[in-house]
Amino acid sequence: MKVIGNLDWRHPLVRLRIWVATPIQKLFAAIGLWKPARKDELECEQKDAVEAVGDRGSQLRLAYKTPRDEFTGATAIDYTPTGLAIKNGVCFARYSIRPPSTAEILKSRKIQPARTIPAGTIIEAETPYTYGDWVGDFVLALITAENIVEPLVLPKVLADKPYVLRDINALGISYVIAEKTLRIENARILQKRIPSYYWGKPEVAAFRNKFNITPPSPKPGSMIYLGRFDTKSEAAQRVYPSETVARIVENLGGKVFDTREASPEKFDALAPEMETVIADQGSALFGVMHAQTKNVIELTQDDWWHSANLFIANGAGVENYAVIHLYEKSDDDLRNRIEGHLRDFGVIN
């Protein structure tokens, strides 16, 4: 398997790679070869709990213990096509879209910019790999910022993703692409102000406002399955029993949507059918921000679940949220679990 660059942290070889790299990178930080985030900058505290039922219980919201300003500034930043921010040969994690690899730390001192711009905005992020990451970190920074110094500087690794320029254009923000390393004489860095993706009502409201979304009232009793089917993941590949769940939902009178066809326009059109949403784990569940969804059932692999969808759904006004683990579930098991939650939510008798 591919180990370098593999994002599936469940695999033993990937965990071994991290185990080997961690002490080396700590040493490199100690001798000034790169600047990671400080421990106190990453310290979090628990806030309110958001309720979930089924195979996952209520989840506590996390917030940075020391609140972060909307932005900070830096001069003479060399910004790479991979989204690393380098100053005087040192990579700054707090200015970059992800921490650097060990090899990238060693190469930082040799980076030379191909051209220079007088000013621009870059975004601090945690992970830059998937559409969920793009919305959770980058879009969030842009829709909640009041002080963007244009142009926005996009690393090539992001600009190559079709949804990135689509969303930037929808927001009406001018941009330049760092096809090669670009020096920004006066850089504004939009800081990551929420750990992970603990969105709430203000963040969802900002998303709806900036993308001009007015969720319609759903048809009473409407139900839809958002199925991944053979979706190729930008992170770790997961397999879901989409055909089986599609049959279950159709037998209950619901509709089925193949999320490989997902787009903002598609979710605007689907919104009236989304009073109840059953969905495979993934960023397609962000579609509830286009709707007035009341109930969600999320289907997930037991060891690949993240609370991002739960918090975004809660921020969007979802009242009932259930999680079903898929491992070792027969078709009958899935049908019984789905129908059981639907009964509990008052969707079916």
Side-chain angles (χ1 to χ4, degrees), residues 3 39 57 75-76 80 97 121 129 149 157 182 194 213 234 243 275 292 296 333:
V3 177
K39 184 177 180 180
T75 58
T80 74
I97 66 172
T121 292
Y129 306 110
V149 174
V157 70
L182 182 68
I194 294 177
I213 298 168
E234 294 178 281
E243 299 289 349
E275 182 177 65
Q292 293 187 41
V296 168
D333 290 335

Side-chain angles (χ1 to χ4, degrees), residues 52-287:
V53 298
D55 293 324
R56 297 279 177 164
S58 297
Q59 303 292 308
L60 288 168
R61 187 187 312 276
L62 295 183
Y64 288 120
K65 197 165 187 179
T66 302
R68 299 180 177 185
D69 293 334
E70 176 186 311
F71 66 89
T72 188
T75 58
I77 291 295
D78 294 331
Y79 199 62
T80 74
T82 55
L84 299 182
I86 297 166
K87 182 177 174 66
N88 298 326
V90 176
C91 182
F92 282 64
R94 287 291 314 275
Y95 302 165
S96 301
I97 66 172
R98 59 168 174 78
S101 69
T102 304
E104 288 169 332
I105 293 171
L106 293 173
K107 293 177 182 177
S108 294
R109 294 187 179 275
K110 300 178 181 179
I111 293 290
Q112 293 295 325
R115 66 186 183 101
T116 299
I117 60 173
T121 292
I122 57 179
I123 297 174
E124 174 196 2
E126 184 175 348
T127 49
Y129 306 110
T130 69
Y131 175 69
D133 298 333
W134 165 249
V135 174
D137 267 346
F138 299 90
V139 169
L140 178 61
L142 295 171
I143 61 177
T144 57
E146 298 180 0
N147 297 281
I148 299 173
V149 174
E150 297 189 41
L152 174 67
V153 182
L154 288 170
K156 183 178 186 301
V157 70
L158 285 182
D160 284 347
K161 298 175 182 290
Y163 48 76
V164 169
L165 295 187
R166 177 200 71 194
D167 288 350
I168 295 300
N169 288 327
L171 292 170
I173 299 171
S174 65
Y175 62 89
V176 297
I177 299 172
E179 302 270 359
K180 296 182 179 179
T181 298
L182 182 68
R183 172 157 293 183
I184 311 169
E185 290 292 0
N186 292 283
R188 175 155 292 182
I189 301 100
L190 299 183
Q191 300 194 98
K192 181 175 172 62
R193 290 185 283 169
I194 294 177
S196 190
Y197 304 134
Y198 290 97
W199 285 37
K201 288 180 172 59
E203 290 75 31
V204 173
F207 183 91
R208 287 170 166 169
N209 177 55
K210 292 294 185 179
F211 285 104
N212 299 310
I213 298 168
T214 303
S217 297
K219 297 175 184 176
S222 59
M223 182 193 313
I224 194 167
Y225 169 50
L226 308 179
R228 288 180 67 91
F229 293 93
D230 294 324
T231 297
K232 182 174 174 57
S233 175
E234 294 178 281
Q237 191 63 25
R238 288 101 70 199
V239 177
Y240 295 86
S242 299
E243 299 289 349
T244 298
V245 178
R247 288 193 298 272
I248 293 169
V249 172
E250 287 175 333
N251 287 338
L252 291 168
K255 297 182 180 296
V256 173
F257 177 65
D258 186 334
T259 61
R260 290 173 294 186
E261 305 298 323
S263 70
E265 294 76 17
K266 288 288 180 66
F267 278 117
D268 284 341
L270 290 172
E273 308 295 337
M274 294 176 62
E275 182 177 65
T276 294
V277 171
I278 300 165
D280 298 329
Q281 191 276 336
S283 57
L285 261 169
F286 291 8

